[in-house]
Amino acid sequence: MTTTAQPGLGQITGNVLFYSQPEPLSPEMHGKMGVKSMDGPFGFAKPGHAIPLTVGEFPLAAVTGPIIFVGDEKMPISVMGLNAGDNMFLRDDGLFEPGAYIPAYIRRYPFVFANDEGAKQMVLCIDRGAEFVVDKGYDQPFFEADGQPSQYTKNCIEFCNNFEIERQRTASFVQLLKDLDLFETKTASFTPTSPDGTQGEPQKIAEYFGVSEEKLNALPADKLAEIRNNGALPQIYAHLVSLVGWDRLVALALARAPAAPQAANA
């Protein structure tokens, strides 16, 4: 999604996963709109096989799947599927599998902050294209009759503010890992096994950035104490432990694959 400009707000820019029709939230445009309740509200996230993650979420997300770092910025990502466009933990009814961690990035939808370059500030937007954003039959209005934000909107604004704080903390965490030169390129692979038990050639699933255990163990004692005391070390270990989740994703993919046709008995 590429955000669009609104009169008087300057040029709002940025690409954000899931958001197809972002609009700066205002009582003039959305005073008679709101959000309706849905039994399965997360259907929009089905295409999200790789979801941005904040560092405070690492311990919770680690039990669901791999946490990796991608791109030049080394953005932390929760891997929720092996194939682009398929979140393996999201069911067809729009609900997540029981026990799967739902990243805050998904939970904040349809709200999002966008950059207003003209005003040099962040602007709160909603995705007008969200299935549950409606102009009638809603359960939670965006605004009260006097044009003030509803309690629902206030709660969402607080959530988005907290998310932005966590996003900045995540950027500092990643910069720390860069400064300590802890990143290395890692590869996730899978070795298929045929029905007769023979193993095929390993297949590469993904290539990504992760923390090098060798570099971590080689840190000087004072640096190791520093990342322990500032809380970075437990998050690093959560990332490392999460990488066993590649096996879980492969197991899920194999379990859902169509069964090979069996030869009929004579």
Side-chain angles (χ1 to χ4, degrees), residues 176 180 221-232:
L176 174 64
L180 294 174
D222 60 328
K223 290 296 182 181
L224 196 60
E226 178 183 341
I227 62 174
R228 180 197 64 207
N229 294 337
N230 66 17

